[in-house]
Coordinates of all heavy atoms in Angstrom, one line a residue:
M1 N -8.6 3.0 2.8 CA -7.4 2.2 2.9 C -6.9 2.0 4.3 O -6.2 1.1 4.6 CB -6.3 2.9 2.1 CG -6.6 2.9 0.6 SD -5.4 3.7 -0.4 CE -6.0 5.4 -0.4
A2 N -7.1 3.0 5.1 CA -6.8 2.9 6.6 C -7.5 1.8 7.3 O -7.0 1.3 8.2 CB -7.1 4.2 7.3
H3 N -8.7 1.4 6.6 CA -9.4 0.2 7.3 C -9.3 -1.1 6.5 O -10.1 -2.0 6.7 CB -10.9 0.6 7.3 CG -11.1 1.9 8.2 ND1 -11.0 1.8 9.6 CD2 -11.4 3.1 7.9 CE1 -11.1 3.0 10.1 NE2 -11.4 3.9 9.1
G4 N -8.2 -1.1 5.7 CA -7.9 -2.4 5.0 C -8.4 -2.5 3.6 O -8.2 -3.7 3.0
A5 N -8.9 -1.6 2.9 CA -9.3 -1.6 1.6 C -8.0 -1.9 0.7 O -7.1 -1.2 0.8 CB -10.0 -0.3 1.1
T6 N -8.2 -2.8 -0.2 CA -7.1 -3.2 -1.1 C -7.6 -3.1 -2.6 O -6.7 -3.4 -3.4 CB -6.6 -4.6 -0.8 OG1 -7.6 -5.6 -1.0 CG2 -6.0 -4.7 0.6
R7 N -8.8 -2.9 -2.9 CA -9.3 -2.9 -4.3 C -10.2 -1.6 -4.5 O -10.8 -1.2 -3.6 CB -10.2 -4.1 -4.5 CG -9.5 -5.4 -4.5 CD -10.3 -6.6 -4.6 NE -9.6 -7.8 -4.7 CZ -10.0 -8.9 -5.1 NH1 -11.3 -9.0 -5.5 NH2 -9.2 -9.9 -5.2
P8 N -10.1 -1.2 -5.7 CA -11.0 0.0 -6.0 C -12.5 -0.1 -5.5 O -13.1 0.7 -5.0 CB -10.9 0.1 -7.5 CG -9.6 -0.4 -7.8 CD -9.4 -1.6 -6.9
S9 N -13.1 -1.3 -5.8 CA -14.4 -1.7 -5.4 C -14.7 -1.5 -3.9 O -15.7 -1.0 -3.5 CB -14.9 -3.1 -5.9 OG -14.0 -4.1 -5.2
E10 N -13.7 -1.8 -3.1 CA -13.8 -1.6 -1.6 C -13.7 -0.1 -1.3 O -14.4 0.3 -0.4 CB -12.7 -2.3 -0.9 CG -12.8 -3.9 -1.1 CD -11.5 -4.6 -0.6 OE1 -10.4 -4.0 -0.6 OE2 -11.6 -5.9 -0.5
I11 N -12.9 0.6 -2.0 CA -12.9 2.1 -1.8 C -14.3 2.7 -2.1 O -14.8 3.5 -1.3 CB -11.8 2.7 -2.7 CG1 -10.4 2.2 -2.3 CG2 -11.9 4.2 -2.5 CD1 -9.9 2.6 -1.0
Y12 N -14.8 2.3 -3.2 CA -16.1 2.9 -3.7 C -17.2 2.5 -2.7 O -18.0 3.3 -2.3 CB -16.5 2.5 -5.1 CG -15.5 2.9 -6.2 CD1 -14.9 2.0 -7.0 CD2 -15.2 4.3 -6.3 CE1 -14.0 2.5 -8.0 CE2 -14.3 4.7 -7.2 CZ -13.8 3.8 -8.1 OH -12.8 4.3 -9.0
A13 N -17.1 1.2 -2.2 CA -18.2 0.8 -1.3 C -18.1 1.6 0.0 O -19.1 1.9 0.6 CB -18.1 -0.7 -1.0
S14 N -16.9 1.8 0.5 CA -16.7 2.5 1.8 C -17.1 4.0 1.6 O -17.6 4.6 2.6 CB -15.2 2.5 2.2 OG -14.5 3.4 1.5
K15 N -17.1 4.5 0.4 CA -17.6 5.9 0.1 C -19.0 5.9 -0.4 O -19.5 7.1 -0.7 CB -16.6 6.6 -0.9 CG -15.2 6.8 -0.4 CD -15.2 7.7 0.9 CE -13.9 8.0 1.5 NZ -14.0 8.8 2.7
R16 N -19.6 4.8 -0.5 CA -21.0 4.7 -1.0 C -21.2 5.3 -2.4 O -22.1 6.1 -2.6 CB -21.9 5.2 0.0 CG -22.0 4.4 1.3 CD -23.1 5.0 2.2 NE -23.1 4.2 3.4 CZ -22.8 4.8 4.6 NH1 -22.5 6.0 4.7 NH2 -22.9 4.0 5.7
C17 N -20.2 5.0 -3.3 CA -20.3 5.4 -4.6 C -19.9 4.3 -5.6 O -19.4 3.3 -5.1 CB -19.4 6.7 -4.9 SG -17.7 6.4 -4.6
K18 N -19.9 4.6 -6.8 CA -19.3 3.5 -7.8 C -18.8 4.3 -9.0 O -19.1 5.5 -9.2 CB -20.4 2.6 -8.3 CG -21.6 3.2 -8.9 CD -22.6 2.1 -9.3 CE -23.9 2.7 -9.9 NZ -24.8 1.7 -10.2
A19 N -17.9 3.7 -9.7 CA -17.3 4.3 -10.8 C -18.3 4.3 -12.0 O -18.6 3.2 -12.6 CB -16.1 3.5 -11.2
Q20 N -18.8 5.5 -12.3 CA -19.8 5.6 -13.4 C -19.1 5.4 -14.8 O -19.5 4.6 -15.5 CB -20.4 7.0 -13.3 CG -21.2 7.1 -12.1 CD -22.5 6.3 -11.9 OE1 -23.1 6.0 -12.9 NE2 -22.9 5.9 -10.7
C21 N -18.1 6.2 -15.0 CA -17.5 6.2 -16.4 C -16.1 5.5 -16.3 O -15.5 5.2 -17.4 CB -17.3 7.6 -16.9 SG -16.1 8.6 -16.0
G22 N -15.5 5.3 -15.1 CA -14.2 4.6 -15.0 C -13.0 5.5 -15.1 O -11.9 5.0 -14.9
N23 N -13.2 6.9 -15.3 CA -12.1 7.7 -15.3 C -11.3 7.8 -14.0 O -10.1 8.1 -14.1 CB -12.6 9.2 -15.8 CG -12.8 9.2 -17.2 OD1 -12.3 8.5 -18.0 ND2 -13.6 10.2 -17.5
C24 N -11.9 7.6 -12.9 CA -11.2 7.7 -11.6 C -10.5 6.4 -11.3 O -9.7 6.4 -10.4 CB -12.3 8.0 -10.5 SG -13.6 6.9 -10.3
V25 N -10.8 5.3 -11.9 CA -10.3 4.0 -11.5 C -8.7 4.0 -11.5 O -8.0 3.6 -10.6 CB -10.8 2.8 -12.3 CG1 -10.1 1.5 -12.0 CG2 -12.3 2.7 -12.0
P26 N -8.1 4.5 -12.6 CA -6.6 4.5 -12.6 C -6.0 5.4 -11.5 O -5.0 4.9 -10.8 CB -6.2 5.2 -13.9 CG -7.4 5.0 -14.9 CD -8.6 5.0 -13.9
G27 N -6.6 6.4 -11.1 CA -6.1 7.2 -10.0 C -6.3 6.5 -8.6 O -5.3 6.5 -7.8
V28 N -7.4 5.8 -8.5 CA -7.6 5.0 -7.2 C -6.6 3.9 -7.1 O -6.0 3.6 -6.1 CB -9.0 4.5 -7.2 CG1 -9.2 3.5 -6.0 CG2 -10.0 5.6 -7.0
V29 N -6.3 3.2 -8.3 CA -5.4 2.1 -8.3 C -4.0 2.6 -8.0 O -3.2 2.0 -7.2 CB -5.5 1.4 -9.7 CG1 -4.2 0.4 -9.9 CG2 -6.8 0.7 -9.9
C30 N -3.7 3.8 -8.6 CA -2.3 4.4 -8.3 C -2.2 4.7 -6.8 O -1.1 4.3 -6.2 CB -2.2 5.6 -9.1 SG -0.6 6.5 -8.9
I31 N -3.1 5.2 -6.2 CA -3.1 5.6 -4.8 C -3.0 4.2 -4.0 O -2.2 4.2 -3.0 CB -4.3 6.3 -4.3 CG1 -4.3 7.7 -4.9 CG2 -4.4 6.5 -2.8 CD1 -5.5 8.5 -4.8
L32 N -3.7 3.1 -4.3 CA -3.6 1.9 -3.6 C -2.2 1.4 -3.7 O -1.7 0.9 -2.7 CB -4.6 0.9 -4.2 CG -6.1 1.1 -3.8 CD1 -6.9 0.2 -4.6 CD2 -6.2 0.8 -2.3
K33 N -1.6 1.4 -4.8 CA -0.2 0.9 -5.1 C 0.8 1.7 -4.3 O 1.6 1.1 -3.6 CB 0.2 1.0 -6.6 CG -0.5 -0.1 -7.4 CD -0.1 0.1 -8.9 CE -0.8 -1.0 -9.7 NZ -0.3 -0.9 -11.1
E34 N 0.6 3.0 -4.2 CA 1.5 3.8 -3.4 C 1.4 3.4 -1.9 O 2.4 3.4 -1.2 CB 1.2 5.3 -3.7 CG 2.2 6.3 -2.9 CD 1.9 7.7 -3.3 OE1 1.6 7.9 -4.5 OE2 2.0 8.5 -2.4
V35 N 0.2 3.3 -1.5 CA 0.0 3.0 0.0 C 0.6 1.7 0.3 O 1.2 1.5 1.3 CB -1.5 3.0 0.4 CG1 -1.8 2.4 1.8 CG2 -2.1 4.5 0.3
R36 N 0.4 0.6 -0.7 CA 1.0 -0.7 -0.4 C 2.5 -0.5 -0.4 O 3.2 -1.3 0.5 CB 0.6 -1.7 -1.5 CG -0.8 -2.3 -1.2 CD -1.0 -3.5 -2.1 NE -2.3 -3.2 -2.7 CZ -2.6 -3.2 -3.9 NH1 -1.8 -3.7 -4.8 NH2 -3.9 -3.0 -4.3
M37 N 3.1 0.2 -1.2 CA 4.5 0.4 -1.3 C 5.1 1.0 0.0 O 6.0 0.5 0.6 CB 5.0 1.2 -2.5 CG 6.5 1.4 -2.6 SD 6.9 2.5 -4.0 CE 6.3 4.1 -3.5
R38 N 4.3 2.1 0.5 CA 4.8 2.7 1.7 C 4.6 1.7 3.0 O 5.4 1.7 3.8 CB 3.9 3.9 2.0 CG 4.3 5.0 1.1 CD 3.5 6.2 1.4 NE 3.8 7.4 0.4 CZ 3.2 8.5 0.5 NH1 2.2 8.7 1.4 NH2 3.5 9.4 -0.4
Q39 N 3.6 0.9 2.9 CA 3.4 -0.1 3.9 C 4.5 -1.1 4.0 O 5.0 -1.5 5.0 CB 2.0 -0.8 3.8 CG 0.9 0.1 4.2 CD -0.5 -0.5 3.9 OE1 -0.6 -1.5 3.1 NE2 -1.5 -0.1 4.5
R40 N 4.9 -1.6 2.8 CA 6.0 -2.6 2.6 C 7.3 -1.9 3.2 O 8.0 -2.6 3.9 CB 6.2 -3.0 1.2 CG 5.4 -4.3 0.9 CD 5.8 -4.8 -0.5 NE 4.6 -4.6 -1.3 CZ 4.5 -4.1 -2.4 NH1 5.6 -3.5 -3.0 NH2 3.3 -3.9 -3.0
Q41 N 7.6 -0.7 2.7 CA 8.8 0.0 3.3 C 8.8 0.1 4.7 O 9.9 -0.1 5.4 CB 8.9 1.3 2.5 CG 9.3 1.2 1.0 CD 9.2 2.6 0.3 OE1 8.6 3.6 0.8 NE2 9.7 2.6 -0.8
A42 N 7.7 0.5 5.3 CA 7.6 0.6 6.7 C 7.8 -0.7 7.5 O 8.5 -0.8 8.5 CB 6.2 1.2 7.2
A43 N 7.3 -1.8 6.9 CA 7.5 -3.1 7.5 C 8.9 -3.5 7.3 O 9.5 -4.1 8.3 CB 6.6 -4.1 6.8
E44 N 9.6 -3.2 6.3 CA 11.0 -3.6 6.1 C 11.9 -2.7 7.1 O 12.8 -3.2 7.7 CB 11.4 -3.3 4.7 CG 10.9 -4.3 3.6 CD 11.2 -3.9 2.2 OE1 12.1 -3.0 2.1 OE2 10.7 -4.6 1.3
T45 N 11.6 -1.4 7.2 CA 12.3 -0.6 8.1 C 12.1 -1.1 9.6 O 13.1 -1.2 10.3 CB 11.8 0.8 8.0 OG1 12.0 1.3 6.7 CG2 12.5 1.8 9.0
A46 N 10.9 -1.5 9.9 CA 10.7 -2.0 11.2 C 11.4 -3.3 11.4 O 12.0 -3.5 12.6 CB 9.1 -2.2 11.5
T47 N 11.4 -4.2 10.5 CA 12.1 -5.4 10.5 C 13.7 -5.2 10.7 O 14.3 -5.8 11.6 CB 11.9 -6.3 9.3 OG1 10.4 -6.6 9.2 CG2 12.6 -7.6 9.4
H48 N 14.1 -4.3 9.9 CA 15.6 -4.0 9.9 C 16.0 -3.3 11.3 O 17.1 -3.5 11.8 CB 16.0 -3.2 8.8 CG 16.1 -3.9 7.5 ND1 17.0 -3.8 6.6 CD2 15.2 -4.9 7.0 CE1 16.8 -4.6 5.5 NE2 15.7 -5.3 5.8
A49 N 15.0 -2.6 11.8 CA 15.4 -1.9 13.1 C 15.6 -2.8 14.3 O 16.3 -2.6 15.2 CB 14.3 -0.8 13.5
C50 N 14.9 -4.0 14.1 CA 15.0 -5.0 15.1 C 16.2 -5.9 15.0 O 16.5 -6.7 16.0 CB 13.7 -5.9 15.1 SG 12.2 -5.0 15.5
L51 N 16.9 -5.9 13.9 CA 18.0 -6.8 13.7 C 19.3 -6.1 14.1 O 19.5 -4.9 14.1 CB 18.1 -7.1 12.2 CG 16.9 -7.9 11.6 CD1 17.1 -8.0 10.1 CD2 16.8 -9.3 12.1
P52 N 20.3 -6.9 14.5 CA 21.6 -6.4 14.8 C 22.1 -5.8 13.5 O 21.9 -6.1 12.4 CB 22.4 -7.7 15.2 CG 21.4 -8.7 15.5 CD 20.2 -8.4 14.8
V53 N 23.1 -4.8 13.8 CA 23.6 -4.0 12.7 C 24.4 -4.9 11.7 O 24.2 -4.7 10.5 CB 24.7 -3.0 13.2 CG1 25.4 -2.3 12.2 CG2 24.0 -2.0 14.2
A54 N 25.1 -5.9 12.1 CA 25.8 -6.8 11.1 C 24.8 -7.5 10.2 O 25.0 -7.7 9.0 CB 26.6 -7.9 11.9
V55 N 23.6 -7.9 10.7 CA 22.6 -8.6 9.9 C 22.0 -7.6 9.0 O 21.7 -7.9 7.8 CB 21.5 -9.2 10.8 CG1 20.4 -9.8 9.9 CG2 22.1 -10.3 11.7
Q56 N 21.8 -6.4 9.4 CA 21.3 -5.2 8.5 C 22.2 -5.0 7.3 O 21.7 -4.9 6.2 CB 21.0 -4.0 9.3 CG 20.0 -4.0 10.3 CD 19.8 -2.7 11.1 OE1 20.2 -1.7 10.5 NE2 19.2 -2.7 12.2
A57 N 23.5 -5.0 7.6 CA 24.5 -4.6 6.5 C 24.5 -5.9 5.6 O 24.5 -5.6 4.4 CB 25.8 -4.5 7.2
E58 N 24.4 -7.1 6.1 CA 24.4 -8.3 5.1 C 23.1 -8.2 4.2 O 23.2 -8.5 3.1 CB 24.3 -9.5 6.0 CG 24.4 -10.8 5.2 CD 24.5 -12.0 6.1 OE1 25.2 -12.1 7.0 OE2 23.7 -12.9 5.9
A59 N 22.0 -7.8 4.8 CA 20.8 -7.8 4.1 C 20.8 -6.7 3.0 O 20.3 -6.9 1.9 CB 19.5 -7.5 5.1
L60 N 21.4 -5.6 3.3 CA 21.5 -4.4 2.4 C 22.4 -4.8 1.2 O 22.2 -4.4 0.1 CB 22.0 -3.2 3.1 CG 21.0 -2.6 4.0 CD1 21.6 -1.5 4.6 CD2 19.7 -2.2 3.3
S61 N 23.5 -5.7 1.5 CA 24.4 -6.0 0.4 C 23.9 -7.2 -0.5 O 24.4 -7.3 -1.6 CB 25.7 -6.4 1.0 OG 25.7 -7.6 1.7
A62 N 22.9 -7.8 -0.1 CA 22.3 -9.0 -0.8 C 21.5 -8.4 -2.1 O 21.1 -7.4 -2.2 CB 21.4 -9.8 0.0

């Protein structure tokens, strides 16, 4: 994921493995979603940090 993987198949390819029975797929998908959520939150925080305080307050009230 640190190198841009966004799908379970990309994770398996990077680790040189594949989902044999599929039991691990839900866990991999969950981790991918969590990483994406954290990346979005970090991007929003970075964007808000660059805005004047008045604009930040307006964005939060929307």
Side-chain angles (χ1 to χ4, degrees):
M1 288 179 278
H3 299 288
T6 59
R7 297 176 172 196
S9 60
E10 295 168 341
I11 301 291
Y12 297 126
S14 73
K15 295 298 181 183
R16 295 187 180 114
C17 64
K18 60 182 178 178
Q20 297 291 328
C21 67
N23 284 335
C24 59
V25 174
V28 172
V29 170
C30 182
I31 292 168
L32 284 167
K33 286 180 180 179
E34 185 175 323
V35 169
R36 274 190 235 136
M37 182 181 67
R38 289 181 182 177
Q39 289 172 339
R40 269 188 246 126
Q41 288 174 343
E44 288 175 8
T45 300
T47 300
H48 287 219
C50 296
L51 297 174
V53 175
V55 174
Q56 291 179 27
E58 183 178 312
L60 291 175
S61 65

